[in-house]
Amino acid sequence: YVEPSYVIRQFLDAQRIHNLTTYLEALHAKAFATSEHTTLLLNKQPLTFDVETALTVLRDNYPTHALTLAKKHHEHSWYLKIQLDRIHSETLSESDQARVLDALTYIEGLSFGEANLNLRKYGRTLVTHVPGPTTELLKALCTGRFHDSTDKADPANFLHLFVSHRAQLREFLEYIVDVETVANPQIGNTLLEMVLGDVGRSPAAADEDAEDKPIIMATNEAAVLALLDNPRVKYDEDHALILMQMH
């Protein structure tokens, strides 16, 4: 007796999908089929059963097989979708954490273009659950340090990944403006707003009797001035004036 999962794995190649169909029908004829086999058979589309169709059919009941097929055929978006689409909870199980780490490692092995594309799609989940390594990967991607590529992604394309992760966003932006000349004013505007906002969040800023208030205020003001004077940072001057007046 051979486990059906082993046989199915042999038929994952797109050219052999018809063999998979025949095998599933035989399982049903012999009363060996499980509910998963029935689902797989009912979802088959013999005339258009290409790799993407096979992945659609396999992903729910045979995720391991689907991952194997996606990796073999370089369906990178599918691979990451299978790994990350089921991640919804803030607290991950051990298996969920393993899937997130695997997805990050998978992206690290892609080409610059594929990594850029897929981080924009799936990076928010990665920032949420592995913020440190994901932020480092984004730094490399935006500063020409990703593998041997000298291409640089636009950091503005990744700002949406850091929703609810303010500390990582500031770290990311400060690194970018320290090592790159960024033409997109959205980066300068966002970082300036964060620096000014952090001044207002300082405990000493709200406590007039704090002994170290002058030191903290001076440090924060110096950070703002350094940002405004940084020739690498482009920002909208009118927007900057409004922000300064607000804070």
Side-chain angles (χ1 to χ4, degrees):
Y1 175 73
V2 179
E3 283 291 334
S5 61
Y6 173 81
V7 179
I8 289 171
R9 192 160 56 246
Q10 309 312 306
F11 293 149
L12 285 180
D13 190 287
Q15 284 73 35
R16 304 182 68 187
I17 288 298
H18 65 282
N19 297 114
L20 175 58
T21 301
T22 301
Y23 177 70
L24 289 170
E25 290 173 343
L27 283 179
H28 282 78
K30 298 290 186 180
F32 292 149
T34 66
S35 59
E36 288 82 5
H37 298 138
T38 301
T39 300
L40 188 58
L41 182 60
L42 290 175
N43 280 281
K44 73 177 182 62
Q45 301 178 40
L47 298 179
T48 58
F49 216 156
D50 56 8
V51 173
E52 186 167 345
T53 303
L55 289 169
T56 301
V57 173
L58 291 170
R59 62 176 295 188
D60 291 329
N61 296 317
Y62 295 94
T64 302
H65 300 331
L67 287 172
T68 299
L69 185 63
K71 192 171 187 177
K72 178 179 180 180
H73 291 274
H74 308 291
E75 293 286 348
H76 307 308
S77 183
W78 263 104
Y79 187 96
L80 295 167
K81 182 189 300 184
I82 294 167
Q83 288 292 60
L84 298 177
D85 270 4
R86 292 174 292 167
I87 305 296
H88 301 296
S89 173
E90 290 294 325
T91 303
L92 299 185
S93 65
E94 188 173 329
S95 61
D96 285 345
Q97 184 70 21
R99 291 210 307 274
V100 171
L101 291 172
D102 177 77
L104 180 64
T105 301
Y106 188 86
I107 291 177
E108 289 173 339
L110 297 178
S111 66
F112 170 85
E114 289 289 348
N116 185 5
L117 174 65
N118 284 290
L119 272 172
R120 290 162 67 178
K121 292 174 63 177
Y122 300 105
R124 187 169 178 179
T125 299
L126 297 175
V127 168
T128 297
H129 297 293
V130 279
T134 305
T135 302
E136 291 302 315
L137 178 57
L138 289 167
K139 289 178 184 178
L141 199 71
C142 294
T143 57
R145 297 187 297 106
F146 185 76
H147 300 329
D148 296 328
S149 175
T150 57
D151 293 329
K152 299 175 183 179
D154 184 351
N157 289 333
F158 303 108
L159 298 183
H160 67 285
L161 306 183
F162 293 93
V163 174
S164 303
H165 298 280
R166 183 182 182 88
Q168 281 75 31
L169 176 57
R170 179 166 176 174
E171 176 191 341
F172 173 62
L173 294 179
E174 287 182 333
Y175 178 82
I176 296 299
V177 301
D178 278 345
V179 301
E180 294 290 332
T181 298
V182 183
N184 191 335
Q186 186 179 0
I187 299 301
N189 292 344
T190 301
L191 183 54
L192 179 60
E193 186 171 355
M194 294 191 73
V195 174
L196 287 169
D198 287 344
V199 170
R201 284 184 175 84
S202 169
D207 184 358
E208 295 181 357
D209 297 326
E211 294 182 0
D212 55 352
K213 178 180 177 180
I215 297 175
I216 294 178
M217 291 297 292
T219 301
N220 288 331
E221 290 174 2
V224 173
L225 292 174
L227 178 60
L228 293 173
D229 290 338
N230 188 340
R232 297 181 183 275
V233 181
K234 308 297 181 184
Y235 54 85
D236 183 281
E237 293 184 0
D238 291 335
H239 185 69
L241 285 173
I242 293 173
L243 289 175
M244 296 289 286
Q245 291 171 354
M246 290 173 58
H247 293 83

